[in-house]
Amino acid sequence: MSAQTRELGHPTREEIRLEAVLHSLSDPTRLHIARTIGELGTEVTCSEIEIEVSKSTSTHHYRVLREAGVIRQTYQGTAKLNGLRRDDLDARFPGLLNAILNAADVPK
Amino acid sequence: MSAQTRELGHPTREEIRLEAVLHSLSDPTRLHIARTIGELGTEVTCSEIEIEVSKSTSTHHYRVLREAGVIRQTYQGTAKLNGLRRDDLDARFPGLLNAILNAADVPK
């Protein structure tokens, strides 16, 4: 597999749409993933975040977050690293990410 | 029809769930409705907000917003009045509603 085919598609900052961000985070599992990455404050592999779904469902959830512009996924060797696109989201929708990540008593 | 059966169901402040709020506002038509009510800053009837969908789809969108806790619907005679539950949302999820309503360049 060439380096090129391993590039994952991400919207540019300007392409990030509010509705897609809200939709991606309206699912409890995806919200948990985003909150956990936010709490860890670093890039993490998918296996570092505990979610009780199948591998394919997990991959789907990460892809929805990536395609919405909420996370950036990059390859490091064979592992995918996931980081929050905090700068991009803060620039596009000031205050939104913090309001969502800091919301109290959201069940995990 | 008695007054009682005309009461519409609303979640209490404590029952409002972040995922439901995000889901309700992840639809462009519902986002437009909420933003328009927010801009008008008062209670409005459904007919005051222009949306290009059928009557039944419109009713569905308003119900989703109501059941998520984003708007409060009350009867005034035969008309439904719609108001944003700004106090409840600000108390539950500080900064969230403003971040969403103030988000720039969201197509209507």
Side-chain angles (χ1 to χ4, degrees):
Chain A
M1 198 183 284
S2 74
Q4 193 166 12
T5 61
R6 286 168 60 82
E7 287 283 326
L8 295 159
H10 293 84
T12 64
R13 176 181 291 190
E14 291 68 30
E15 286 169 345
I16 297 176
R17 291 172 48 247
L18 179 62
E19 294 95 323
V21 172
L22 298 181
H23 169 72
S24 73
L25 295 171
S26 70
D27 175 272
T29 301
R30 292 195 292 266
L31 182 59
H32 171 64
I33 292 171
R35 288 165 71 101
T36 304
I37 299 176
E39 284 163 13
L40 295 173
T42 181
E43 288 185 309
V44 297
T45 62
C46 300
S47 59
E48 288 176 82
I49 301 176
E50 209 166 313
I51 54 176
E52 290 176 3
V53 296
S54 68
K55 172 69 182 156
S56 67
T57 302
S58 168
T59 301
H60 165 75
H61 284 317
Y62 279 91
R63 189 177 67 239
V64 171
L65 288 167
R66 169 169 53 80
E67 291 179 347
V70 173
I71 65 171
R72 186 173 293 284
Q73 293 191 294
T74 49
Y75 278 106
Q76 189 170 70
T78 55
K80 274 197 208 114
L81 285 180
N82 304 281
L84 271 187
R85 294 181 64 176
R86 189 180 283 279
D87 288 351
D88 290 328
L89 292 167
D90 287 350
R92 286 282 285 148
F93 313 117
L96 179 68
L97 187 66
N98 276 340
I100 293 174
L101 298 186
N102 297 336
D105 59 79
V106 176
K108 290 197 172 178
Chain B
M1 197 183 285
S2 74
Q4 194 165 13
T5 60
R6 286 167 61 81
E7 286 285 325
L8 295 159
H10 293 84
T12 65
R13 176 181 290 190
E14 291 68 29
E15 286 169 345
I16 298 176
R17 292 172 49 246
L18 179 62
E19 293 94 324
V21 172
L22 298 181
H23 169 72
S24 74
L25 295 172
S26 69
D27 175 271
T29 301
R30 292 195 293 267
L31 181 59
H32 172 63
I33 292 171
R35 289 165 70 101
T36 304
I37 299 176
E39 284 164 13
L40 295 172
T42 180
E43 289 184 309
V44 297
T45 62
C46 300
S47 59
E48 288 177 83
I49 301 176
E50 209 167 313
I51 54 176
E52 289 177 3
V53 296
S54 68
K55 172 70 183 155
S56 67
T57 301
S58 168
T59 301
H60 165 76
H61 284 316
Y62 280 91
R63 188 176 68 239
V64 172
L65 288 167
R66 169 169 54 81
E67 291 179 348
V70 173
I71 66 170
R72 188 173 293 284
Q73 293 191 295
T74 50
Y75 277 107
Q76 188 170 72
T78 55
K80 274 196 207 115
L81 286 180
N82 304 280
L84 269 188
R85 293 182 63 178
R86 188 180 285 278
D87 289 351
D88 291 328
L89 292 167
D90 287 349
R92 287 282 285 147
F93 313 117
L96 180 67
L97 187 65
N98 276 341
I100 292 174
L101 298 187
N102 297 336
D105 60 81
V106 176
K108 290 201 171 174

